[in-house]
């Protein structure tokens, strides 16, 4: 946990942003894999972690705005618990770490909430996303499960986005730690990669690095020699000469903070000239995005600038044609770059996505585009100092998408479909780094950049 004052201060700021009512944060329960006693590794809800820091199952935190009180609802471990899990501090001692001196039995939570509801007071909660939390919340508040989202508090959501978007120094330190583990994961993958081994051999070794750093992967690793598939969790292929291996993976620290990196490397350890042509376009887009990301800049504009680099580069190899500005305005680049340039990152790899991207990545100044490709941009709003985000441009040759655009003549004035046909087996390339916005620009996170130039990648792979 961070120092106690951090949590007290966060709750005090929240209290100033939510003018009245009772704010309820449900912590997570254990989640069974295949029977109740065999559980997934416990992961606390990120909002609960942010405001209370307590990494234990079956807790609830309540902030009563008018009363000015904070309370943890939890059951004391009984003798059965102690036999199996050993002695635990009392709940009073645990709650004190978060600066809370009021602990009540979990069953009293219902009484507290019902009494507030009877007085006509507002219960603020975020939209639940786990089945068990939905059930608990539904029973506590008497709201049908399917209706819970409609009753979630926009005031609370906006307050949380305001607080969690600008990372504190202690959070940035923790994210740097996750990035350093990410560096070790990716460089290990580079050293292991060679024709003839299974993808899962690399995935398993790489994910072990996150465990050995006392954490875990920040999301199920994406690793595939079918590198044109954006999110592939199947690792059963034997690596073949001539292919490229995409690895999109990061670490989550013990405290719950994420990193999220992507590298794409030649299975043979050396890029072909054709691979390098496309690779260097993606690298240029990544570098340009980092050069221009700064406070006050809309990330939407950074996305569009990266898209123009991609369109320009693809035009120079004969895959696109026509005016680059027009091509990007029409969304023609999205045949090759169908996703967004990046997203917020913090306690969640897609930070706060569970409370709504429209609040996290967009605001009154800018709304999400509906154009194919750019519609997938999770973060479009103006950047501010201490935002932490990813920069992840890519170029992919997705056979089904190419076939659709070709047959429907979509953006055919900007795409050289004949030439694209020569790249149908090429795969895809994505290069992802993590940055923090500074006073005047941005800074890449992690002690060292994961090898990214041709020379750096080939050297690491030769080790
Ligand atoms: N790890 C998925 C992404 O890069 O957004
Ligand atoms: Mn990623
Ligand atoms: Mn990402």
């Amino acid at each position: 946990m961070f120092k106690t004052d951090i949590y007290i201060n966060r709750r005090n700021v929240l209290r100033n942003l939510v003018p009245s009512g009772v704010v309820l944060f449900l912590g997570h329960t254990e989640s069974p894999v295949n029977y109740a006693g065999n559980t997934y590794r416990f992961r606390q809800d990120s909002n609960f972690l942010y405001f209370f820091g307590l990494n234990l199952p079956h807790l609830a935190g309540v902030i009563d705005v008018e009363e000015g009180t904070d309370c943890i609802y939890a059951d004391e471990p009984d003798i059965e618990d102690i036999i199996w899990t050993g002695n635990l501090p009392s709940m009073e001692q645990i709650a004190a770490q978060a600066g809370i001196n009021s602990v009540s039995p979990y069953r009293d939570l219902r009484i507290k909430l019902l009494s507030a509801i009877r007085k006509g007071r507002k219960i603020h909660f975020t939209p639940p996303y786990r089945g068990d939390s939905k059930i608990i919340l539904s029973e506590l508040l008497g709201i049908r499960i399917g209706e819970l989202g409609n009753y979630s508090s926009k005031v609370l959501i906006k307050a949380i986005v305001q607080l969690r978007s600008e990372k504190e120094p202690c959070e940035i330190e923790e994210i740097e730690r996750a990035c350093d583990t990410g560096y070790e994961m990716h460089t290990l993958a580079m050293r292991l990669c060679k024709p003839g081994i299974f993808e899962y051999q690399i995935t398993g070794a790489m994910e072990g690095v996150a465990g050995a750093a006392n954490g875990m992967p920040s999301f199920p690793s994406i690793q595939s020699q079918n590198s044109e598939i954006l999110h592939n969790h199947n690792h059963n292929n034997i690596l073949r000469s001539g292919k490229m291996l995409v690895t999109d993976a990061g670490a989550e620290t013990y405290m719950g903070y994420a990193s999220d990196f992507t590298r794409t490397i030649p299975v043979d350890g050396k890029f072909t000239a054709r691979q390098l042509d496309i690779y260097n376009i993606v690298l240029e887009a990544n570098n340009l995005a980092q050069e221009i990301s700064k406070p006050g800049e809309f990330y939407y504009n950074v996305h569009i600038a990266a898209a123009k680099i991609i369109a320009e580069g693809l035009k120079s190899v004969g895959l696109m044609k026509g005016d680059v500005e027009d091509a990007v305005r029409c969304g023609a680049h999205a045949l090759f770059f169908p996703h967004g340039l990046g997203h917020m990152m913090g306690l969640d790899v897609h930070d706060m996505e569970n409370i709504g991207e429209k609040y996290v990545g967009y605001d009154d100044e800018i709304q999400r585009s509906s154009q194919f490709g750019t519609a997938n941009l999770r973060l479009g709003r103006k950047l501010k100092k201490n935002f932490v985000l990813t920069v992840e441009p890519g170029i992919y040759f997705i056979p089904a998408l190419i076939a659709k655009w070709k047959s429907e003549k979509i953006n055919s004035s900007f795409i050289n479909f004949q030439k694209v046909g020569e790249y149908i087996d090429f795969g895809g390339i994505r290069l992802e780094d993590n940055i923090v916005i500074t006073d005047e620009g941005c800074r890449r996170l992690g002690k060292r950049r994961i090898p990214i130039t041709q020379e750096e990648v080939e050297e690491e792979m030769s080790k």
Side-chain angles (χ1 to χ4, degrees), residues 206-251:
M206 188 182 67
E207 292 189 345
V209 172
N214 201 18
M216 61 180 183
S218 49
F219 57 96
S221 300
I222 294 156
Q223 187 158 58
S224 177
Q225 67 179 347
N226 298 322
S227 50
E228 76 284 4
I229 304 175
L230 300 186
H231 282 181
N232 190 345
H233 297 127
N234 175 324
H235 311 301
N236 285 321
N237 295 307
I238 296 177
L239 292 182
R240 289 206 325 270
S241 181
K243 300 288 280 183
M244 282 182 293
L245 178 70
V246 68
T247 301
D248 183 347

Side-chain angles (χ1 to χ4, degrees), residues 88-386:
L88 289 167
S90 69
M91 278 317 304
E92 273 80 10
Q93 287 167 312
I94 290 172
Q97 294 170 31
I100 292 180
N101 53 24
S102 168
V103 176
S104 296
Y106 201 91
R107 65 173 180 279
D108 288 359
L109 178 58
R110 188 172 159 74
I111 299 166
K112 165 80 186 173
L113 297 175
L114 283 183
S115 134
I117 292 167
R118 277 198 204 105
K119 290 179 192 145
R121 301 181 66 204
K122 169 102 178 143
I123 311 292
H124 300 272
F125 60 91
T126 55
Y129 53 92
R130 272 204 188 189
D132 44 8
S133 301
K134 289 183 186 181
I135 294 168
I136 294 170
L137 205 53
S138 170
E139 288 182 349
L140 282 171
L141 301 177
I143 300 172
R144 284 156 50 99
I145 286 181
E147 299 282 317
L148 283 166
N150 300 335
Y151 287 88
S152 64
S153 165
K154 305 294 170 287
V155 172
L156 177 61
I157 289 171
K158 287 183 178 175
I160 291 174
V161 169
Q162 187 173 330
L163 266 156
R164 283 182 55 189
S165 293
E166 293 175 48
K167 271 56 182 180
E168 299 157 334
C170 60
E171 293 185 285
I172 294 172
E173 249 178 60
E174 203 52 33
I175 296 170
E176 295 258 24
R177 213 162 275 145
C179 290
D180 290 337
T181 306
Y183 177 96
E184 298 300 334
M185 293 165 75
H186 278 267
T187 48
L188 176 64
M190 287 178 183
R191 295 192 298 274
L192 291 177
C193 177
K194 62 178 179 194
I197 70 167
F198 283 95
E199 292 161 345
Y200 59 71
Q201 291 177 271
I202 305 179
T203 313
M206 188 182 67
E207 292 189 345
V209 172
N214 201 18
M216 61 180 183
S218 49
F219 57 96
S221 300
I222 294 156
Q223 187 158 58
S224 177
Q225 67 179 347
N226 298 322
S227 50
E228 76 284 4
I229 304 175
L230 300 186
H231 282 181
N232 190 345
H233 297 127
N234 175 324
H235 311 301
N236 285 321
N237 295 307
I238 296 177
L239 292 182
R240 289 206 325 270
S241 181
K243 300 288 280 183
M244 282 182 293
L245 178 70
V246 68
T247 301
D248 183 347
E252 177 176 299
T253 64
Y254 185 70
M255 299 264 298
Y257 285 86
S259 61
D260 177 13
F261 294 106
T262 308
R263 289 294 183 266
T264 310
I265 60 176
V267 167
D268 296 297
K270 295 255 181 238
F271 288 97
T272 65
R274 196 166 93 126
Q275 287 170 343
L276 205 53
D277 279 346
I278 305 295
Y279 186 91
N280 281 332
I281 301 169
V282 182
L283 180 54
E284 193 187 339
N286 176 309
N287 287 338
L288 183 275
Q290 295 191 41
E291 275 160 33
I292 64 173
S293 291
K294 60 174 188 212
E297 184 66 87
F298 285 97
Y299 204 53
Y300 171 85
N301 289 341
V302 183
H303 171 90
I304 294 297
K308 285 181 190 164
I309 297 280
I310 285 171
E312 188 73 59
L314 291 173
K315 185 176 167 186
S316 74
V317 293
L319 289 155
M320 290 185 73
K321 57 188 181 180
D323 181 74
V324 165
E325 298 275 336
D326 288 346
V328 170
R329 196 173 310 113
C330 293
H333 61 282
L335 174 62
F336 308 99
F337 176 35
H339 60 76
L341 184 65
H343 50 85
M344 293 273 213
M345 191 184 78
L347 274 169
D348 310 297
V349 65
H350 291 176
D351 212 22
M352 300 173 273
E353 194 167 295
N354 57 19
I355 54 178
E357 278 181 357
K358 93 175 195 201
Y359 302 106
V360 179
Y362 295 90
D363 58 15
D364 295 340
E365 275 189 304
I366 181 165
Q367 262 100 70
R368 201 174 188 126
S369 161
S370 58
Q371 188 182 66
F372 174 78
T374 304
N376 289 327
L377 178 63
R378 300 180 192 281
L379 173 62
R381 70 179 163 122
K382 251 186 207 161
L383 300 173
K384 284 191 186 162
K385 188 180 172 191
N386 293 331

